[in-house]
Amino acid sequence: MSESNSSAACMADQNGAVPGEPVKKDENSRRGNWGNQIEFVLTSVGYAVGLGNVWRFPYLCYRNGGGAFMFPYFIMLVFCGIPLFFLELSFGQFTSLGCLGVWKVSPMFKGVGYGMMVVSTYIGIYYNVVICIAFYYFFMSMTNLLPWTYCNNPWNTPDCTGVAGSPRANATFANVSAVVSGVTEIVNRTKRTSPSEEYWRNYVLNISDGIGNFGEVRLPILGCLAVSWVVVFLCLIRGVKSSGKVVYFTATFPYVVLTILFIRGITLEGAVSGIKYYLTPQWEKILDAKVWGDAASQIFYSLGCAWGGLITMASYNKFHNNCFRDSIIISVTNCGTSVYAGFVIFSILGFMANHLGVDVSEVADHGPGLAFVAYPEALTLLPISPLWSLLFFFMLILLGLGTQFCLLETLVTAIVDEIGTDWIIKNKTYVTLGVAIIGFLLGVPLTTQAGIYWLLLMDNYAASFSLVIISCIMCICIMYVYGHKNYFKDVEMMLGFPPPIFFRICWKYVSPFIITFILIFTVIQYKPITYNDYVYPSWSLVIGFAMALSSVICIPIYALFKIAVSEGSTFLERLKNSVRPDPDWGPALQEHRKGRYATTGPESVEVCPLKEDLKDEGKEKLKENETEKKDEIGLTIPGSNGSTLNPTPSA
């Protein structure tokens, strides 16, 4: 290709396309890329929008002051969530490597990548258990009468009081209103429980009396767990090539279901009171550091920051993809979904509270119980309740699978990139299968009668303050060890424009400061975990802290190891060598290695200059081309691709 055409190819738009010419495919033949950018955006939306948007965010919102919680939530989103989201996307896309490989930027900090893998492992284990419970409820909804409607089942106790009357009652909206109008006094009694709660505790979980009493494995839940892992494996059998097609459905259909449930919910009597309870602010709670801690944790949990998934998904992008645009779209979509889901949940809870004559707080349950107790109970009050139940739990399954896909792919990609041999890349499917089998086996204890205790313990400790520590250290490494100027140039090389000044300030100062501030006050106001009236024993809390520290401890351990094996006669020399970028750091494809990443020698590829150099360089090349044309011998025939063909003169 001639030099003039080389310059034209370099002046590509942000997605790597040259106006007026066919789009150049920039595919990494070894790792592969997304089929198109829609697949990446949908996958990232599916990753960020998960079960927590439905059962975690509404619960945190009503527990932490209703609408007042929105203030710290969006503060954390703007100053921490979106900047860190963009940072991780650009980090992974620039190097085309997973959460371990990217730390070639400063090898001493590779422990951060291992910490991300530990966090993703914990979350992947218990997350699929929650999905399998949703599968179980989905299967149990395939009936004419939901099994948690009445109190006449073998698992019910004398304390059970249903909101839908007796089995003989006509299950119409009018009759339900008449039946439940007289049970307010009974429901308010402390010892009374709902049929949905007893179905959850006594039948689905058959819950034991404590975290140390595992009891027996709940075979129906175990079977559903196997189904869940099989579905995840099949969807990832070809990596991003297969999961990228699945997300067209798994990432979009939940919004259809949410909209159907929302329209149905707001048409019910009492829905407005539920929504008011959801939005009415309790401003005094803003002064509670726990509220800010929950807001920060929810942002990290929901957006998936510090899990390693964002880096992994972005690593399959084309080099010039506009990940800045994607980060805004995905982050806003995720948080908007959380708020929207709150309307769906509280409109139904308001309807149930209205018919029971109680406050909304009396019917809103804690944790997963919001999705598996309160909402299913409210659905029994609706005509054709099995249909609404099927839709709701199918939505939960799809939301969960979207996140689980990325959790598994994060671990698989990290392993494959780390080993890096041709054999492991060609046989990536076997790695995926192996990780899925191990994940299933590690999830078996969570299907026992004590499983819910362990699930909540992992949720509260394994993916809490460790996430903010990992995120903070990542910011420090990239901004201050590698250098913010270097990284800003890297982003400009990749996107064609430098990061906006707001993001540069957040990356350098605001995000690390806020994260540190929240972490300190969360530790100060720490309260031991409880589940309803059950108080966790001290030994279980020690295990919880051990799980949280197991991801963080990877960072100093690997740092010490890297310093010890680095070259140098003194500690300071070894320290400097351990933080210096690896020679392989930079864009994965040679055609993108320009500037300080450019290679020299006969095998080096042509390098595209930066935007500011194009004009001057273009003028010089035009002059050179004119000189060359004057000296050319023979007939010059323009080629179809803009190159020149010089036929050999006939003898």
Side-chain angles (χ1 to χ4, degrees):
M1 184 171 66
S2 69
E3 290 182 356
S4 60
N5 285 303
S6 172
S7 298
C10 291
M11 289 185 280
D13 64 15
Q14 294 170 5
N15 291 317
V18 178
E21 291 194 14
V23 177
K24 178 183 178 181
K25 290 186 178 181
D26 183 17
E27 181 153 347
N28 188 322
S29 58
R30 278 176 60 86
R31 291 180 90 248
N33 293 93
W34 297 105
N36 55 63
Q37 282 315 114
I38 296 178
E39 292 182 7
F40 167 69
V41 172
L42 289 179
T43 299
S44 299
V45 168
Y47 171 63
V49 178
L51 295 172
N53 296 75
V54 174
W55 68 261
R56 187 181 178 94
F57 177 82
Y59 160 63
L60 288 177
C61 190
Y62 97 79
R63 189 186 73 175
N64 291 306
F69 181 71
M70 301 288 187
F71 180 74
Y73 180 73
F74 283 105
I75 289 293
M76 292 300 137
L77 170 66
V78 172
F79 290 97
C80 287
I82 296 178
L84 289 176
F85 201 94
F86 179 33
L87 180 65
E88 292 197 30
L89 289 188
S90 60
F91 198 23
Q93 181 174 305
F94 183 75
T95 59
S96 297
L97 291 170
C99 64
L100 283 183
V102 292
W103 295 103
K104 291 179 180 179
V105 67
S106 184
M108 190 185 80
F109 288 87
K110 192 174 182 179
V112 176
Y114 285 109
M116 290 177 173
M117 288 186 66
V118 172
V119 169
S120 291
T121 300
Y122 285 138
I123 298 174
I125 292 171
Y126 76 76
Y127 209 82
N128 229 14
V129 174
V130 179
I131 297 174
C132 86
I133 296 175
F135 264 113
Y136 181 79
Y137 270 81
F138 177 77
F139 294 143
M140 291 298 102
S141 299
M142 296 179 180
T143 179
N144 293 327
L145 179 67
L146 295 176
W148 56 86
T149 304
Y150 301 117
C151 293
N152 61 336
N153 302 290
W155 58 82
N156 291 127
T157 68
D159 294 327
C160 178
T161 300
V163 296
S166 65
R168 294 186 178 87
N170 189 357
T172 63
F173 182 80
N175 286 346
V176 165
S177 301
V179 171
V180 301
S181 61
V183 301
T184 302
E185 181 179 355
I186 299 177
V187 171
N188 283 331
R189 294 178 186 174
T190 307
K191 293 183 179 181
R192 294 291 171 176
T193 57
S194 67
S196 63
E197 182 178 355
E198 293 199 348
Y199 180 78
W200 163 252
R201 291 176 60 88
N202 301 338
Y203 186 74
V204 178
L205 302 178
N206 194 14
I207 191 169
S208 65
D209 57 0
I211 191 172
N213 182 12
F214 283 90
E216 63 182 8
V217 173
R218 300 290 297 137
L219 293 180
I221 303 300
L222 181 64
C224 291
L225 181 63
V227 170
S228 183
W229 274 110
V230 168
V231 171
V232 172
F233 167 70
L234 292 178
C235 292
L236 285 174
I237 195 167
R238 293 181 58 239
V240 297
K241 293 299 183 183
S242 55
S243 65
K245 303 299 183 292
V246 175
V247 294
Y248 280 104
F249 178 73
T250 60
T252 57
F253 192 73
Y255 290 95
V256 176
V257 178
L258 273 176
T259 302
I260 293 173
L261 293 175
F262 174 69
I263 294 174
R264 185 67 185 97
I266 60 175
T267 60
L268 300 173
E269 185 179 357
V272 175
S273 63
I275 294 175
K276 285 183 178 178
Y277 185 85
Y278 169 55
L279 296 178
T280 301
Q282 301 175 37
W283 295 112
E284 67 277 4
K285 290 198 173 184
I286 286 186
L287 301 177
D288 187 355
K290 183 68 166 59
V291 174
W292 290 83
D294 283 344
S297 297
Q298 175 61 15
I299 286 295
F300 289 119
Y301 190 95
S302 184
L303 288 178
C305 297
W307 293 14
L310 298 177
I311 294 175
T312 302
M313 295 302 105
S315 72
Y316 292 100
N317 277 335
K318 294 179 181 179
F319 185 75
H320 292 296
N321 172 63
N322 190 343
C323 58
F324 170 70
R325 170 201 61 202
D326 295 341
S327 64
I328 301 294
I329 294 173
I330 298 165
S331 300
V332 172
T333 300
N334 169 75
C335 295
T337 303
S338 294
V339 177
Y340 187 33
F343 283 94
V344 175
I345 295 293
F346 277 91
S347 61
I348 294 292
L349 295 183
F351 160 68
M352 185 168 71
N354 177 74
H355 280 278
L356 292 176
V358 298
D359 190 74
V360 178
S361 61
E362 297 294 325
V363 298
D365 207 339
H366 300 274
L370 187 65
F372 297 117
V373 176
Y375 204 86
E377 181 180 16
L379 293 178
T380 62
L381 298 174
L382 300 177
I384 326 176
S385 56
L387 172 63
W388 304 111
S389 183
L390 283 169
L391 285 174
F392 176 70
F393 288 111
F394 187 55
M395 177 190 70
L396 290 187
I397 292 169
L398 295 181
L399 290 175
L401 288 176
T403 302
Q404 191 67 19
F405 292 159
C406 296
L407 288 171
L408 183 58
E409 184 62 40
T410 296
L411 298 175
V412 173
T413 296
I415 295 171
V416 172
D417 284 349
E418 187 67 9
I419 298 175
T421 63
D422 291 337
W423 184 90
I424 199 74
I425 293 174
K426 292 179 181 178
N427 294 276
K428 184 179 177 181
T429 300
Y430 295 108
V431 179
T432 305
L433 177 61
V435 174
I437 292 174
I438 294 173
F440 168 74
L441 295 177
L442 292 176
V444 171
L446 300 185
T447 64
T448 63
Q449 292 176 265
I452 187 64
Y453 299 118
W454 290 99
L455 189 151
L456 294 176
L457 185 72
M458 295 176 71
D459 181 45
N460 280 270
Y461 288 90
S464 57
F465 72 87
S466 58
L467 293 177
V468 297
I469 293 176
I470 290 174
S471 293
C472 187
I473 294 177
M474 181 176 65
C475 286
I476 293 172
C477 172
I478 297 175
M479 293 296 108
Y480 297 101
V481 178
Y482 175 61
H484 61 275
K485 291 183 179 179
N486 289 331
Y487 193 72
F488 296 161
K489 290 179 181 178
D490 291 342
V491 174
E492 183 177 4
M493 179 191 303
M494 179 173 61
L495 301 183
F497 57 90
I501 188 171
F502 172 78
F503 288 88
R504 283 181 273 171
I505 294 174
C506 286
W507 288 347
K508 291 172 61 179
Y509 309 112
V510 181
S511 296
F513 174 78
I514 293 180
I515 292 171
T516 304
F517 177 81
I518 294 299
L519 176 64
I520 293 173
F521 276 83
T522 301
V523 172
I524 292 175
Q525 296 199 2
Y526 164 76
K527 295 179 182 178
I529 181 179
T530 60
Y531 176 57
N532 293 336
D533 297 329
Y534 178 74
V535 178
Y536 280 68
S538 300
W539 63 265
S540 65
L541 300 181
V542 172
I543 295 177
F545 279 111
M547 287 190 292
L549 292 175
S550 63
S551 57
V552 178
I553 201 66
C554 295
I555 302 172
I557 289 178
Y558 189 87
L560 293 174
F561 165 76
K562 190 63 182 178
I563 293 173
V565 300
S566 296
E567 296 181 355
S569 57
T570 65
F571 175 81
L572 186 59
E573 289 179 358
R574 287 195 292 267
L575 178 63
K576 289 181 178 179
N577 289 329
S578 66
V579 299
R580 185 176 291 119
D582 189 275
D584 292 335
W585 160 254
L589 300 180
Q590 287 294 331
E591 62 190 273
H592 297 139
R593 297 183 73 90
K594 50 192 172 183
R596 64 181 183 277
Y597 299 107
T599 57
T600 58
E603 294 183 358
S604 63
V605 297
E606 191 172 36
V607 177
C608 296
L610 293 174
K611 274 187 173 181
E612 55 267 22
D613 299 329
L614 285 173
K615 292 183 180 179
D616 295 336
E617 191 174 343
K619 293 179 181 178
E620 294 176 1
K621 289 182 177 180
L622 286 175
K623 292 180 180 179
E624 293 174 0
N625 289 339
E626 290 175 0
T627 303
E628 290 174 359
K629 287 180 180 179
K630 292 178 181 179
D631 298 335
E632 281 181 357
I633 299 175
L635 180 63
T636 300
I637 304 175
S640 61
N641 63 351
S643 60
T644 58
L645 303 174
N646 296 313
T648 303
S650 57

